Structures are given as structure tokens and as C-alpha cells.
Amino acid sequence: MKIRYYSGWFDEALPVKYLETLRNDITDKKSLVLVWGCWGGDELIDFFKDQLKPSGIAFDEYHLVDNRNTKEEGHKLIREASVLIMLAGDTEPQARFFAEYDLSAPIKETNANITLGFSAGAMNMASKGVSAKYEAENTAIHHGLGLDNFCYVPYFLPDMNNLVRNHLLPLSKEIDVYATSPESFIRVQGDEVATFGDVYLISNSQINKMDTP
């Protein structure tokens, strides 16, 4: 059963618990494919190599799918990936790139058992995403690919009153909202959501901090 990770971007390094959990989940190390996040380029491949290798996670091949690929090349790389990474960046431009390159089907049908989403990439993976950076804006809610039927919010802190009142509580009447604080993440496998760090479930206008190992 496929596994998906949702988190914000980690400024310093991938957390130890993240790497430990990922190492236990990864069984196929043929191809790591990064999907463009509206910033950065090939140096992101080097970043993930440096982050993963000390934990014994090294792949035979590393690829970046961005607007330098043809549509056909991008589809092939995504479908044949062992692990897929949806990069951070700007949510709306990334979503437009997915649409222009018709990436919805390849991402949903990928052979990758594991998909990692960071910040904008994670919001675009979920049915809906809300950026804590837009807590006072009317355009905070983004529609994603729907790999999981919930709304995802990165960089969340419980004192973000405008975001909670104006967006998350009303939205939680329609769909569950998972919100991770900085340095936290969730792991989804089937209907099971495992939480690591400070993670909040907002459902039916109620906010509950979830238990974490």
C-alpha cells in the first residue's frame, strides 16, 4: 500500500525521526524523482543526496522533472520512480505546472511506493491546502490533486487566530484539516494517519492536538 509524507520545508535538515521512518519504509532504491517546486534546480538533487545518504538511503538514479523536460519525458520519469518528491515552492505556480504538463495521472499512477510532499508540494498532494503565510487573505485555500481526502496546512501554530477563524474552522465542516507545526510531519498509509511532532486535527470546528510517538 502506498505511503505519503506531508510536511513543510525543513530549513536546516530533515529531522532524525523523518529519516528513521523513511529508511524503514523505503524498499526500492532504483530511482528518486523530484518534481519541480518553482524554485531551485539541479542543486536540489545534491541537497537530497546529502540529506539521505548518511541514513543509508542512496538511489541508483536521481532525476528532476521541471520545464526543461518534455511532457513525455516527465511522465515516464514519474511513472517509473521508486520514490517521488513533490518539492516546496509557490503553490499556485506549481499547480499550473502540473496542469500544463498533465501530471495528475502520472503522479496518481506512479510506481513509487512512497511520495514525499514538502510545503507547496504537500498542499498540492492533498484535496485542499491552506498556506499559513496567507492567514489574512481570501485566497488561502488551494485545490490539490486529491491523493488524500483532507486539507493540509504546513507551518501551523495554534495562535494563528485569523487563519483558524476565517479559513480552517469553516473549512473543517466540509473536510478534515491536518495542520503541522514547523519540524513536524504526518505519514499516511491507506486510512491510517501517523503523526510526528506537533500536529493538529481540525474537524467539525474542533481543534485537537494529536498524539505522537
Side-chain angles (χ1 to χ4, degrees):
M1 188 176 294
K2 292 186 176 182
I3 300 168
R4 288 178 282 273
Y5 287 59
Y6 292 79
S7 72
W9 182 253
F10 301 111
D11 289 331
E12 299 298 327
L14 297 178
V16 172
K17 190 64 178 180
Y18 191 103
L19 291 168
E20 289 176 351
T21 308
L22 187 61
R23 183 176 62 242
N24 290 332
D25 282 338
I26 292 177
T27 56
D28 180 0
K29 299 178 183 177
K30 181 180 178 183
S31 174
L32 177 67
V33 176
L34 286 63
V35 181
W36 183 67
C38 310
W39 59 271
D42 292 331
E43 68 272 14
L44 289 169
I45 291 178
D46 294 332
F47 171 82
F48 280 101
K49 282 183 179 180
D50 293 342
Q51 291 289 305
L52 299 174
K53 190 173 181 179
S55 295
I57 306 172
F59 294 83
D60 297 334
E61 301 174 3
Y62 296 83
H63 301 281
L64 177 65
V65 173
D66 62 14
N67 54 14
R68 294 173 294 179
N69 302 102
T70 67
K71 186 182 296 187
E72 292 74 18
E73 289 170 342
H75 287 198
K76 187 174 187 293
L77 288 170
I78 290 171
R79 290 183 187 277
E80 296 178 356
S82 304
V83 174
L84 190 61
I85 294 180
M86 312 289 280
L87 289 166
D90 294 328
T91 313
E92 291 294 344
Q94 187 185 63
R96 287 197 295 271
F97 172 71
F98 292 169
E100 290 168 4
Y101 274 66
D102 297 323
L103 296 184
S104 177
I107 290 170
K108 291 177 179 178
E109 297 166 4
T110 178
N111 290 331
N113 187 52
I114 297 171
T115 300
L116 313 177
F118 295 96
S119 194
M123 287 189 284
N124 277 323
M125 283 166 51
S127 291
K128 294 183 180 181
V130 178
S131 174
K133 298 176 182 179
Y134 304 144
E135 60 181 275
E137 301 291 335
N138 294 324
T139 56
I141 298 174
H142 306 281
H143 294 273
L145 296 172
L147 303 187
D148 291 290
N149 188 32
F150 54 68
C151 173
Y152 175 67
V153 182
Y155 315 115
F156 178 76
L157 297 173
D159 62 355
M160 290 176 165
N161 295 323
N162 287 337
L163 176 69
V164 171
R165 181 178 61 252
N166 295 337
H167 300 298
L168 301 187
L169 291 181
L171 184 61
S172 73
K173 297 176 183 179
E174 306 170 16
I175 189 171
D176 285 346
V177 178
Y178 286 93
T180 60
S181 66
E183 303 302 312
S184 300
F185 66 99
I186 62 175
R187 174 189 179 276
V188 181
Q189 186 173 22
D191 295 328
E192 181 180 342
V193 179
T195 63
F196 301 84
D198 292 335
V199 178
Y200 300 83
L201 172 61
I202 307 170
S203 182
N204 293 318
S205 299
Q206 300 295 317
I207 303 176
N208 292 296
K209 187 175 181 181
M210 300 186 70
D211 294 332
T212 190

